[in-house]
Amino acid sequence: MRVDLVVLGGGPGGYSAALRASQLGMKVALVERKRVGGVCLNEGCIPTKALLHSAHAARLLREGKKLGIEVEGEARINWERVQEHVKGAVEKLVGGVEYLLQKSGVEVITGEGKLRGDGKIEVAGEVIDSRWVILATGSRPAELKTLPFGGRVLTSSQLMFAEKPPQSLIVIGAGAIGLELATAFSSFGAEVKVVEALATPLGGMDRDMAALLIRALKEKGIQIFTSSFVEEGEQGKEGIRLWLRDGRELEGELALVAVGRKPNSEIFQGLLELDERGFVRTFGDFRTSMEGVFAIGDLAGPPLLAHKAHHQGVALVEKLGGLSTGQLGPIPMAVFTEPEFALVGLSEEQAKKSGIKYKKAKFPMGANGRAVGIGQETGAVKILADEDGRLLGVQILGPGASEIIAEASLAMREGLKARQLAEAVHVHPTVSEALMEAAMALEKKAIHIINR
């Protein structure tokens, strides 16, 4: 088979690259060992958010009296229907991608792809000859030596698709995956404990913002143990017991290990240059150490985000097609806890370490009309800017943070100043006004707080 481009891996980075290449008139083959959509659509981003939506509904019903809604009896979790909702979302979106690939003329090959020493991809003995190769094989959950997967120790996908929800859960790792599933299962009524080795959850989150998030999670009944390490664990018929380094003992029905992810790069060992963590090393414009072979997404290093992989895939293909430089702007991230957290650019701690002179401002959600109206007042918007007022970083903790951060991301990409963000008219009442007022507070012009 002869094509212009072969893509190895059908996740968000891989299938986006394949679709954009087809739009540009390239003949494309996409090799995927399972089903297109990758971890994101099949096991990660999409099913997690669908699960969180059901969990949010459960919490609203349980707390409805505060809002004047009284339901006779107690809300019951129908786990089978929850799973139908989650799997239905997955099926609809994966099916949609399959349809798009088919209609776009992308040749989808199901099987284990292998990179050869001559830069060609081989599948089941058949060699695919191509001008370019894009590697997008993604990542998988990292394992703890002291608590290997198996039995009552689960990965995130195993927990999401479990036969029944646990009554109690220990989450090891307070990153995005750990905190999102802690939020979900707490909302379903489980007793949840979170163990985190670092002093704060979510790498890159400022300590003052982290304190607000921890407070919000504790208010929902989630116990959080920071600066804690799991020394060993013991599984039994009824549950699992963990011992922490400080001597504390935790018990739960199940344990979720969410301590990060590792790249699926073993198949490239000896063929491509890898870094000390196992990521494929790239050299500008996503080039690897092999001529004509490129790497994107989780395989090429952090941040391990589906939207980063998507944009890299599109940017790379447009670069190959002579349309752009392949450069990306600042990459935002979001965590779908309650409240949500999102950030883009530098944190205050990163700015300090880099020796960057900055000014900062923070606007509390408790002063935002929309947040107060929906009863989600815990949180804030924090902005960093340089001495000229140009945006350096934004952190948002509050309802809809994952949507609002795109405005900050665009502003940073275009090199805007906080003043310009403040001057943009924002609809009232919306949570997005908190971003506007934080920008105003940077110049001591905020209306709904005392400027200090």
Side-chain angles (χ1 to χ4, degrees):
M1 179 186 295
R2 171 68 188 178
V3 296
D4 298 306
L5 171 68
V6 58
V7 181
L8 185 60
Y15 79 68
S16 297
L19 287 170
R20 184 67 183 117
S22 179
Q23 291 172 356
L24 294 176
M26 299 181 195
K27 187 175 181 181
V28 186
L30 174 63
V31 180
E32 170 55 51
R33 62 180 180 176
K34 293 181 179 178
R35 197 176 179 191
V36 297
V39 169
C40 177
L41 268 65
N42 290 283
E43 303 173 21
C45 317
I46 298 306
T48 305
K49 305 314 168 284
L51 187 75
L52 280 164
H53 187 62
S54 290
H56 178 66
R59 187 176 291 279
L60 280 180
L61 282 173
R62 193 163 56 249
E63 299 177 351
K65 287 185 180 180
K66 298 177 183 178
L67 306 175
I69 307 298
E70 296 186 13
V71 181
E72 290 187 12
E74 188 174 337
R76 185 176 63 87
I77 306 300
N78 185 328
W79 188 245
E80 185 176 334
R81 293 295 298 274
V82 170
Q83 289 292 299
E84 286 177 5
H85 165 64
V86 171
K87 292 175 182 177
V90 170
E91 190 61 37
K92 183 171 185 177
L93 290 168
V94 172
V97 172
E98 290 174 335
Y99 175 81
L100 288 171
L101 291 166
Q102 179 188 358
K103 289 298 182 180
S104 299
V106 175
E107 181 76 21
V108 177
I109 302 169
T110 303
E112 290 277 355
K114 177 183 176 183
L115 177 66
R116 305 193 332 168
D118 59 0
K120 310 296 183 186
I121 296 295
E122 182 180 326
V123 185
E126 180 180 357
V127 177
I128 306 174
D129 191 17
S130 64
R131 182 177 179 184
W132 301 296
V133 171
I134 296 178
L135 305 176
T137 55
S139 63
R140 63 186 184 277
E143 194 171 47
L144 276 177
K145 291 182 180 179
T146 55
L147 207 63
F149 294 122
R152 295 183 177 274
V153 181
L154 307 181
T155 66
S156 55
S157 58
Q158 289 171 334
L159 178 61
M160 277 190 295
F161 298 112
E163 291 184 5
K164 62 177 183 177
Q167 296 301 305
S168 57
L169 174 68
I170 304 172
V171 177
I172 298 100
I177 296 171
L179 289 186
E180 286 180 0
L181 290 177
T183 297
F185 285 94
S186 172
S187 298
F188 287 134
E191 178 188 330
V192 178
K193 304 180 182 76
V194 179
V195 180
E196 170 56 46
L198 299 178
T200 59
L202 302 174
M205 187 179 196
D206 279 332
R207 289 179 180 272
D208 55 343
M209 299 293 281
L212 289 173
L213 176 59
I214 289 173
R215 188 179 83 190
L217 295 176
K218 286 183 175 179
E219 286 173 353
K220 291 175 171 56
I222 299 172
Q223 299 180 56
I224 301 180
F225 304 88
T226 54
S227 301
S228 298
F229 299 83
V230 176
E231 285 291 325
E232 59 179 318
E234 179 182 86
Q235 300 190 44
K237 291 183 179 180
E238 302 300 324
I240 185 168
R241 183 178 299 172
L242 303 181
W243 286 271
L244 306 185
R245 186 174 295 176
D246 61 10
R248 280 181 291 190
E249 182 180 315
L250 304 180
E251 292 185 358
E253 184 180 337
L254 296 174
L256 164 67
V257 173
V259 294
R261 301 182 66 82
K262 58 189 299 185
N264 296 320
S265 59
E266 292 84 356
I267 56 175
F268 310 122
Q269 191 78 42
L271 293 170
L272 302 176
E273 187 175 335
L274 309 181
D275 69 16
E276 62 280 359
R277 296 168 296 173
F279 294 105
V280 172
R281 198 181 296 279
T282 55
F283 303 89
D285 293 336
F286 317 108
R287 293 178 293 107
T288 70
S289 54
M290 185 178 288
E291 182 69 28
V293 178
F294 303 83
I296 61 172
D298 289 6
L299 182 67
L304 310 188
L305 300 168
H307 50 276
K308 182 204 75 172
H310 160 81
H311 280 276
Q312 285 184 336
V314 171
L316 170 55
V317 166
E318 291 186 346
K319 170 70 175 177
L320 297 177
L323 296 183
S324 73
T325 62
Q327 299 300 311
L328 302 183
I331 300 171
M333 63 84 73
V335 184
F336 296 80
T337 45
E338 285 191 32
E340 293 181 357
F341 174 71
L343 68 80
V344 65
L346 296 177
S347 68
E348 184 174 0
E349 290 166 13
Q350 289 170 333
K352 284 180 180 177
K353 285 184 179 180
S354 301
I356 297 172
K357 292 184 178 180
Y358 66 90
K359 51 185 177 177
K360 64 180 179 178
K362 190 157 60 174
F363 185 86
M365 287 297 169
N368 175 264
R370 176 66 172 162
V372 172
I374 61 178
Q376 297 188 40
E377 301 175 37
T378 300
V381 175
K382 182 176 181 178
I383 288 182
L384 297 185
D386 65 17
E387 294 179 308
D388 293 327
R390 205 167 302 280
L391 292 170
L392 294 173
V394 175
Q395 298 195 13
I396 305 173
L397 180 67
S402 60
E403 305 288 347
I404 301 167
I405 199 66
E407 180 183 353
S409 181
L410 176 61
M412 288 187 63
R413 178 183 172 85
E414 297 303 313
L416 301 186
K417 295 183 177 181
R419 173 183 55 78
Q420 294 170 288
L421 197 60
E423 290 171 351
V425 179
H426 290 67
V427 171
H428 176 76
T430 61
V431 181
S432 69
E433 288 178 290
L435 177 62
M436 174 188 73
E437 291 234 40
M440 294 171 71
L442 206 63
E443 304 298 330
K444 304 190 184 307
K445 296 179 181 178
I447 300 299
H448 292 97
I449 59 171
I450 302 298
N451 294 283
R452 300 186 188 280

